Amino acid sequence: MPATIDTRKAHLTRQHGDLFAVYTWVNDERAMVLMPAYRPGAPWYIVMESAAYKYDSPAYLAKQCAIACDVLGIEASRSNWVRVATIIHDGLPDLIRMPSAPPTILSKASYGRLLLREDGQAVGEEDIKLEHGGVTYA
């Protein structure tokens, strides 16, 4: 199944040293994306909202931090595990509180005008604009 991510629509971005935590939507689900700040093209580690409750378990969090360090290409040391665990655990409230869907981005150009009339009198009007599509990774 392809993943659809549009980082331009990120709700929040935080830099933690050499890691970015990007709060965005993956396949219409809230997600925290951890990515290296200085290595473009490096793999990302994603925490999906549907699995966020699992990260409250210290054993699960520790296991996933070891996996995250491996995925992100970070040295698997205790200090790095704690650093990644802190980023994930401290970011969970922001992940859960972010809007359930990204804001709609409409094109700047108008493709027409919608006019609502009642008894021949205009009661409302609005420009017709198209929504921009996101990026799809397969």
Side-chain angles (χ1 to χ4, degrees), residues 9 15-16 28 49 52 57 73 84 96 98-99 113 116-117 131:
K9 294 182 180 181
Q15 186 166 2
H16 304 273
D28 296 328
E49 179 195 19
S57 164
V84 171
I96 293 167
M98 68 186 268
R113 191 141 186 91
L116 179 64
R117 293 182 182 266
E131 188 175 334

Side-chain angles (χ1 to χ4, degrees), residues 42-60:
W44 302 346
Y45 182 81
I46 301 176
V47 176
M48 301 296 288
E49 179 195 19
S50 58
Y53 73 95
K54 295 178 182 178
Y55 288 85
D56 270 345
S57 164
Y60 185 82

Side-chain angles (χ1 to χ4, degrees), residues 45 55 58-78 80-85 88:
Y45 182 81
Y55 288 85
Y60 185 82
L61 181 61
K63 179 182 164 196
Q64 290 303 309
C65 287
I67 293 170
C69 285
D70 184 47
V71 168
L72 295 168
I74 300 172
E75 179 188 355
S77 66
R78 183 173 290 242
N80 282 333
W81 292 342
V82 169
R83 184 168 66 108
V84 171
I88 292 172

